[in-house]
Amino acid sequence: MTVKQTQGAVTALRNAAKRLFGILSVLLLFAATLCSSRNRATSPKEVRRLAGSGQAEEAREEAEKRLQAIADAYDKKTPLTLALVTVSDVCKGGAAKEWFFRTGDDQYKIRCSLRFTAYYGADPHRIGDVLDAIFTAGDHYSTGGAPERAIPFNHDFYRRNLVTYYRGHGPNPAGSNATEPSQVFSHPQTLSWDTVRSSKRQLVPEHDPCMESDPPVSRCLHRPAQTTVADIRKQYGLVFKLELWADGYCKVSKKGEVVMN
């Protein structure tokens, strides 16, 4: 091998080494990025610590208090009688960095959400009057600028016809061939009830049993603890169900920023 050939081989080896070093540097940087706290999935230990923080506890208490106030408004302002409340409260850890199929779960360390369900008793022979009273209360909240619009269901065109239908003075507002209406919705509230006019009744289902309760990460409670939906129906004749959500009432971003809704 000539001197010129030797020098060429050395240069080629040197360039190859530089390329290899560059590739290794990129791989090491990528590995470091994956291992950074902002890109890892939140550990169960960290989820528990954050879910039990003072800020999370404060947000949890405020969210449940706000939803309870809405449930109480139906009890106080309408013919409905509040008979049972169930609460499902869960804090979930954030995912690791999502490189391809992004859901947004990698943007936070924890996200806490609360589902609040209230069950009421009512007279099945006065369902038209009950709905009319609910929508009248909704009229008040819509025009009075009340905080949170506790009852958002007012007398719009469909609901006026719904009252007329249940009083036996008009057709099914959903259509002549439609099933009996048994629900109204206005985000984030859903109000449903037992049907009374159909030959085949559709009843509000029994509430879910508490399968897991591990505060502060998860909570499940029923008030009163032993009351069932069947008990309410037996006592009052008709059951109404109000579903409320406080989705993401407390979130901690991967940057450590706390957001409370």
Side-chain angles (χ1 to χ4, degrees):
M1 180 181 292
T2 66
V3 172
K4 187 175 182 179
Q5 289 175 326
T6 301
Q7 290 175 337
V10 171
T11 300
L13 288 172
R14 186 183 297 115
N15 291 337
K18 288 181 178 180
R19 286 194 297 270
L20 179 60
F21 180 77
I23 294 171
L24 289 175
S25 298
V26 171
L27 291 174
L28 288 172
L29 180 61
F30 182 70
T33 300
L34 288 177
C35 293
S36 70
S37 60
R38 293 187 184 183
N39 293 299
R40 293 196 304 265
T42 313
S43 69
K45 182 178 180 180
E46 181 75 352
V47 170
R48 181 170 296 278
R49 183 185 71 81
L50 292 172
S53 69
Q55 288 175 303
E57 291 288 359
E58 179 183 352
R60 182 173 298 118
E61 182 178 340
E62 286 298 318
E64 187 169 340
K65 181 180 178 181
R66 173 169 53 84
L67 299 184
Q68 181 67 61
I70 295 173
D72 290 340
Y74 282 84
D75 181 71
K76 295 174 182 177
K77 303 295 184 180
T78 79
L80 299 177
T81 301
L82 183 59
L84 171 66
V85 163
T86 68
V87 176
S88 177
D89 178 20
V90 178
C91 291
K92 297 177 62 177
K97 181 65 176 179
E98 297 174 319
W99 297 101
F100 302 106
F101 303 104
R102 297 184 177 180
T103 66
D105 290 344
D106 62 346
Q107 299 300 305
Y108 58 86
K109 292 183 179 180
I110 63 163
R111 177 188 179 96
C112 300
S113 297
L114 191 149
R115 180 184 180 185
F116 189 105
T117 308
Y119 296 86
Y120 303 84
D123 184 349
H125 304 295
R126 297 183 58 246
I127 185 169
D129 294 337
V130 171
L131 288 171
D132 189 40
I134 292 171
F135 303 153
T136 298
D139 292 337
H140 166 73
Y141 282 105
S142 296
T143 60
E148 304 295 341
R149 288 186 62 207
I151 301 177
F153 308 110
N154 55 18
H155 278 97
D156 64 7
F157 178 79
Y158 173 82
R159 295 176 196 134
R160 284 198 302 270
N161 288 331
L162 184 63
V163 171
T164 301
Y165 163 76
Y166 268 112
R167 283 176 169 162
H169 300 151
N172 186 335
S176 58
N177 296 322
T179 58
E180 178 182 342
S182 60
Q183 183 183 100
V184 287
F185 171 80
S186 180
H187 181 78
Q189 296 189 27
T190 302
L191 181 67
S192 54
W193 55 88
D194 295 338
T195 59
V196 296
R197 298 194 57 177
S198 305
S199 57
K200 186 176 182 181
R201 296 190 68 190
Q202 180 178 338
L203 303 179
V204 169
E206 197 61 60
H207 61 74
D208 295 330
C210 281
M211 302 301 294
E212 180 182 8
S213 191
D214 183 23
V217 176
S218 65
R219 291 187 307 138
C220 179
L221 59 90
H222 298 161
R223 298 192 297 260
Q226 302 304 318
T227 300
T228 66
V229 174
D231 292 336
I232 301 170
R233 186 174 295 112
K234 182 177 181 181
Q235 180 177 355
Y236 296 95
L238 186 72
V239 175
F240 273 75
K241 175 184 177 182
L242 177 66
E243 297 172 85
L244 305 169
W245 287 89
D247 190 25
Y249 67 78
C250 182
K251 292 184 288 186
V252 180
S253 73
K254 287 289 182 70
K255 297 179 180 180
E257 298 167 339
V258 180
V259 179
M260 296 189 293
N261 297 326

